[in-house]
Amino acid sequence: MATTAPPAESTTVWTKEDAKASRKANNKLHRREHAWAAAFMAPPVIGWIAFLLFPLGFSVYASLTNWNGIGNMTFIGLDNYTRLLQDQYFWKALWNTVFYMIGIPIGLALSLALALALSRKIRGRTFFRTVYYIPVISSLAAVAILWQWAYNGDFGLVNQALGLIGIEGPNWLMDKDWAKPALIIMAVWKGLGYSTLLYLAAVQAVPRSLYEAAALDGASSWKRFTKITWPMVQPVTFFLVVTNIIAGSMIFTEINIMTPTGGPEWSTASLVWYVWNQAFRNLQMGYATAMALVLGILVLIVTVIQFRINRANDFSID
Amino acid sequence: MRKFRTAAITATMVGALTLAACSGGTGGDTSGSPEPDTAGGDAPNELTFMFRGGEYDKIAYEAAIEKFEEETGASVTMIITDADQYATKLQAAIAGNKVPDVFYIEPGKMMGYVYADVLADLTEYVPQETIDNIWSFGTDAYRFNTETGARGDSADPLYGLPKDVGPFGFGYNTVLFDALGLEHPSADEPLTFDEFVALCQELTQSDKLDYETWGTGLNVVWNSQAFIWGAGADWISEDQKTVTVDTPEFAEALQWFADLGLVEGVTPSAEQAQTLDTYQRWMAGEIGFFPVAPWDIATYNSVAEENPDKFGYDVIPYPVANEGDDWSTWLGSLGIAVSENSKNKELAAQLATYLSTDLDAQKILAENKVQIPNLIDYATGEWIETDAPAAGWPANTKAFLEIAEEKGRPLPGVWTYTPEWYDNFWVNITRVVDTGDQSAADFLAEVQPQMQQLLDQSWISADQAKANG
């Protein structure tokens, strides 16, 4: 602390009392500064404790109890966790949830393609951007009901459209093999606008000089895409992959609306749907919480791996 | 430090999104209005009543509550929620210690609520003559012995009164019978399975009329119970502790049910039923026999009015395996309960009784075909003789009363702590009834141990809930 050191060439004698008084004044000043700093930091910290740390701690404890969601809790150790290891429906729901992730690369590929198309100066560009973004701002419940109708085997829009090109579509939501793909298609459609918007911003931010230099060197369009565009939009891809995996792991609303009993032979039941059923229909809140925490941990692990992979592939343009 | 920061950011991201997802519920409340305060009233005459329902429920209860407020000086706040969000909201209200004074309760969830001391014992508050004038199923569904876990015994404490009882009846298309020159089935005597199949074969025609018709088209999840029971089989033992689906009678009845479509061909095929469900085909006049319940009456009447050349209907008993067997079907109910922690428990019990038995409210609900009356004297007297025919209830409405009085049984999962064991029965049922990939006997042998395991788990959970309090 420079201010507390005695003046180097001063003739005044720097006594212990002086040093003490100076420290006291400085401490007082620091205390006030600390108080203000604490006051500014408090709201987010309190919010984090109240809305994240406390619920998380509560959830961890609840998962170790046989709580039914309305009565008292009794500690039962790891019983809920050993139970879920033997629960065939937990594994089936987990598999279904993982299966839904197939939609993520499909959605990203389509979004990037659309973003590249919409970044060009084509007629009706604003109109198309609006059209693709409308599903994002539409209510998921309403969208799910519309798609439920669209998937009707006989009169649904999807099969009628397929019929125009001579394809006899399946009975989407009633067929155990087609119900999951049907939900994936809907999810891709719903999220397309959001991903496209982010990709569009990323594509437009790529310096034109890079493309010009590559063109001068004789790089083909494909080379320019793979060597310039794709690496430059990688942060957006990373962000979308991470958030889509987190969001995809919690797929619930569309399943509950479109296949309220978990689909034919439980083919659409996701883990969050199963958690919800156990918690609110079967009064097994403790068990449901254990499953939710396992899902959370799995997502956390996947996300950390993604961060590591991303760091390894990180690059910058100097 | 960097690792910690990365981990913290990741954890926060996952956590925040998890919480965001959880708050989404079943599709979200799009109204944007603040959540109503569900807590019970504080002042001596204040009550809150939380319920779900349609327009006519609201009209009926508003009228009943207005009268109740005049008579008692009480002030009742009504909280109405969407049907699909009611159970979740009630559970959240209970967890948040904001239990309304009076609220709807499903009989299947009652045990957990009683063990958690959420429901008040109404036995001492409801006069015996009032109980005697309600269908016994309607009160027995809300009786529960906390010591033994037994349900439905009229000697046990009463934790709710019926909002309604819902008889799941059976009906036939009178117009289709006439068009094909068939004799109408008896309104009193049940058909045997063989007679039923024979009639269904007569009704399944592709060339006699200018549209294709079928004998029946029954959804196995909701419509097979009466046939299984009609063959003397059941899902569960009387003490609710053993799953009994692995009996020869059960296998025979389920196979017979599956064969209606797979062998006899008297139902639309699985593909046909999936593309236009049998409910729609029934209302289009294409199906001979189909379930009829009170909540369908208003819709069926308007369809019959719009399309009298193809659709008309009446109610009959469910078929049984052999002549002389007793028929039965399932009877649903929704209850009205009182909070154990209500500051005005007696007044709340009075309100619950009022909502369940007020004659004017019952008249509004029955006139608008929402439900049959809860009051036996009114239902079996003035209503069945004059009010029901005048309001457009079907000719054989007395079959509904018969179900309410003696033929009705609860759905198998309703009287156990959780219905998971029963739900499990339906997961792979399509293999038996739609595709025929598995015989009923094989399916039942496979599913029984899984169901038993879940039923045992249900009893363990009940015991834990009881111990937890």
Side-chain angles (χ1 to χ4, degrees):
Chain A
M1 297 289 185
T3 52
T4 57
E9 293 178 14
S10 170
T11 51
T12 314
V13 178
W14 187 257
T15 63
K16 277 185 179 178
E17 283 72 26
D18 291 335
K20 207 172 171 182
S22 173
R23 267 203 304 274
K24 202 172 173 183
N26 282 320
N27 285 346
K28 200 175 172 186
L29 181 64
H30 283 157
R31 268 205 302 277
R32 197 178 298 157
E33 280 181 354
H34 285 154
W36 275 110
F40 278 113
M41 285 192 299
V45 171
I46 291 169
W48 191 78
I49 291 169
F51 297 113
L52 197 68
L53 195 61
F54 173 72
L56 193 64
F58 183 83
S59 301
V60 171
Y61 180 69
S63 76
L64 302 172
T65 70
N66 58 15
W67 191 36
N68 64 4
I70 44 176
N72 297 320
M73 299 175 176
T74 299
F75 186 77
I76 56 167
L78 295 173
D79 284 5
N80 286 329
Y81 291 93
T82 52
R83 181 180 160 194
L84 70 82
L85 291 175
Q86 296 153 12
D87 182 351
Q88 56 161 329
Y89 291 115
F90 169 78
W91 293 108
K92 190 158 188 186
L94 186 59
W95 162 244
N96 288 343
T97 306
V98 171
F99 192 96
Y100 289 129
M101 305 290 176
I102 289 173
I104 296 173
I106 297 169
L108 293 186
L110 288 173
S111 309
L112 184 53
L114 271 175
L116 290 171
L118 293 174
S119 65
R120 291 163 188 269
K121 285 178 182 165
I122 52 168
R123 275 171 65 92
R125 191 168 57 162
T126 312
F127 170 75
F128 285 117
R129 284 180 186 177
T130 311
V131 164
Y132 286 117
Y133 203 71
I134 283 175
V136 181
I137 55 167
S138 303
S139 151
L140 182 52
V143 163
I145 291 168
L146 284 177
W147 274 87
Q148 195 177 15
W149 292 339
Y151 277 135
N152 183 292
D154 222 7
F155 305 104
L157 197 63
V158 174
N159 279 1
Q160 287 197 23
L162 289 173
L164 292 176
I165 51 170
I167 297 173
E168 194 182 335
N171 198 326
W172 296 89
L173 298 175
M174 298 291 178
D175 186 318
K176 69 181 168 64
D177 298 321
W178 283 103
K180 268 198 290 282
L183 287 163
I184 289 171
I185 292 169
M186 193 205 89
V188 167
W189 173 84
K190 175 93 170 81
L192 205 57
Y194 177 69
S195 306
T196 304
L197 190 74
L198 293 189
Y199 269 135
L200 193 57
V203 166
Q204 288 177 340
V206 178
R208 308 312 303 169
S209 57
L210 295 177
Y211 292 114
E212 287 160 10
L216 283 173
D217 288 345
S220 64
S221 303
W222 177 247
K223 277 279 180 211
R224 272 178 277 169
F225 171 74
T226 54
K227 299 296 178 187
I228 300 172
T229 312
W230 178 244
M232 292 298 282
V233 300
Q234 200 182 326
V236 171
T237 307
F238 171 68
F239 173 78
L240 287 172
V241 169
V242 170
T243 52
N244 279 347
I245 286 181
I246 294 171
S249 69
M250 292 176 297
I251 184 168
F252 171 77
T253 305
E254 49 271 61
I255 290 165
N256 203 39
I257 290 172
M258 295 168 78
T259 55
T261 57
E265 298 190 25
W266 240 65
S267 55
T268 62
S270 70
L271 198 49
V272 171
W273 181 87
Y274 186 46
V275 165
W276 183 83
N277 262 276
Q278 287 294 339
F280 294 102
R281 183 168 159 78
N282 294 324
L283 300 176
Q284 310 266 339
M285 189 65 86
Y287 182 48
T289 310
M291 286 193 286
L293 282 173
V294 168
L295 176 65
I297 290 165
L298 289 176
V299 173
L300 184 64
I301 291 168
V302 171
T303 310
V304 169
I305 291 170
Q306 286 173 319
F307 267 92
R308 283 184 179 278
I309 293 171
N310 185 58
R311 204 184 303 150
N313 296 335
D314 212 4
F315 76 99
S316 61
I317 301 169
D318 295 322
Chain B
M1 187 64 190
R2 192 175 168 187
K3 278 182 189 170
F4 173 77
R5 199 174 55 207
T6 306
I9 291 168
T10 313
T12 307
M13 215 162 147
V14 171
L17 282 167
T18 308
L19 288 173
C22 290
S23 69
T26 58
D29 184 352
T30 52
S31 64
S33 57
E35 289 291 308
D37 186 2
T38 57
D42 283 326
N45 65 340
E46 271 182 11
L47 294 173
T48 51
F49 169 45
M50 182 166 150
F51 70 110
R52 61 179 165 87
E55 184 191 351
Y56 292 119
D57 293 273
K58 197 169 172 233
I59 293 170
Y61 289 141
E62 271 172 353
I65 284 172
E66 198 176 322
K67 217 163 76 175
F68 176 79
E69 286 175 329
E70 274 172 26
E71 281 180 23
T72 61
S75 168
V76 181
T77 304
M78 292 168 75
I79 302 165
I80 186 162
T81 73
D82 289 344
D84 60 348
Q85 293 184 4
Y86 179 82
T88 316
K89 284 194 173 175
L90 178 63
Q91 202 161 328
I94 292 166
N97 206 19
K98 289 195 162 189
V99 188
D101 294 295
V102 182
F103 50 96
Y104 278 1
I105 178 90
E106 292 171 29
K109 293 234 173 108
M110 207 187 77
M111 294 169 79
Y113 290 144
V114 173
Y115 283 138
D117 283 334
V118 174
L119 303 188
D121 180 352
L122 302 180
T123 315
E124 64 176 296
Y125 298 114
V126 186
Q128 189 57 44
E129 63 266 25
T130 303
I131 289 175
D132 290 343
N133 196 26
I134 300 173
W135 305 110
S136 60
F137 179 92
T139 49
D140 290 349
Y142 303 99
R143 293 185 187 277
F144 176 42
N145 186 321
T146 51
E147 287 307 309
T148 63
R151 299 282 301 270
D153 189 328
S154 56
D156 288 333
L158 180 73
Y159 292 98
L161 288 164
K163 176 261 167 194
D164 66 2
V165 293
F168 199 69
F170 199 50
Y172 69 103
N173 184 339
T174 52
V175 176
L176 183 59
F177 268 70
D178 291 340
L180 292 171
L182 299 171
E183 193 182 330
H184 290 208
S186 166
D188 303 311
E189 290 301 318
L191 296 163
T192 65
F193 283 0
D194 289 342
E195 290 167 344
F196 177 70
V197 171
L199 268 174
C200 284
Q201 284 166 342
E202 298 272 7
L203 288 158
T204 305
Q205 300 292 340
S206 56
D207 48 5
K208 279 196 178 172
L209 302 170
D210 56 2
Y211 52 95
E212 198 172 0
T213 60
W214 291 270
T216 188
L218 303 169
N219 176 312
V220 67
V221 179
W222 295 105
N223 307 154
S224 61
Q225 293 83 358
F227 295 92
I228 302 287
W229 290 331
D234 204 346
W235 275 259
I236 193 166
S237 61
E238 209 167 315
D239 64 0
Q240 308 287 307
K241 293 199 171 168
T242 310
V243 175
T244 56
V245 299
D246 54 346
T247 61
E249 305 88 67
F250 201 112
E252 206 177 320
L254 183 61
Q255 192 62 61
W256 175 86
F257 189 91
D259 287 348
L260 287 173
L262 297 172
V263 176
E264 307 294 348
V266 296
T267 69
S269 67
E271 288 74 27
Q272 287 167 324
Q274 285 163 2
T275 53
L276 180 62
D277 68 33
T278 51
Y279 178 67
Q280 299 293 338
R281 290 186 192 277
W282 155 255
M283 290 193 291
E286 298 173 7
I287 282 178
F289 291 104
F290 203 74
V292 178
W295 50 86
D296 294 317
I297 300 295
T299 306
Y300 290 174
N301 283 358
S302 63
V303 173
E305 208 171 299
E306 284 166 18
N307 198 5
D309 296 335
K310 286 178 84 173
F311 186 76
Y313 71 101
D314 202 3
V315 188
I316 52 170
Y318 268 96
V320 292
N322 302 298
E323 198 171 343
D325 287 351
D326 206 10
W327 69 279
S328 60
T329 181
W330 61 267
L331 182 58
S333 181
L334 188 61
I336 303 171
V338 169
S339 165
E340 171 68 6
N341 295 319
S342 170
K343 292 190 176 76
N344 306 304
K345 209 188 288 183
E346 191 170 349
L347 191 64
Q350 224 177 316
L351 174 61
T353 311
Y354 219 90
L355 295 169
S356 178
T357 60
D358 175 61
L359 182 60
D360 290 337
Q362 292 292 303
K363 282 186 175 180
I364 292 172
L365 292 169
E367 190 187 337
N368 291 291
K369 294 114 183 161
V370 175
Q371 64 178 73
I372 62 167
N374 289 338
L375 301 166
I376 296 174
D377 58 356
Y378 170 61
T380 55
E382 187 186 344
W383 185 69
I384 196 71
E385 282 159 20
T386 54
D387 289 359
W393 284 74
N396 192 30
T397 291
K398 70 173 176 14
F400 286 142
L401 303 188
E402 213 178 331
I403 296 168
E405 192 174 13
E406 59 162 331
K407 305 293 187 190
R409 301 162 69 158
L411 276 170
V414 171
W415 282 8
T416 51
Y417 181 72
T418 62
E420 200 180 359
W421 67 273
Y422 176 67
D423 293 343
N424 189 71
F425 182 81
W426 307 111
V427 172
N428 294 324
I429 194 72
T430 50
R431 294 178 191 168
V432 181
V433 296
D434 287 350
T435 62
D437 291 341
Q438 202 172 18
S439 73
D442 288 349
F443 168 76
L444 296 170
E446 192 179 293
V447 79
Q448 195 278 343
Q450 298 167 10
M451 294 172 72
Q452 186 62 53
Q453 194 184 358
L454 291 168
L455 180 61
D456 293 343
Q457 178 63 45
S458 172
W459 276 99
I460 291 168
S461 300
D463 288 341
Q464 287 170 344
K466 183 181 169 185
N468 288 348

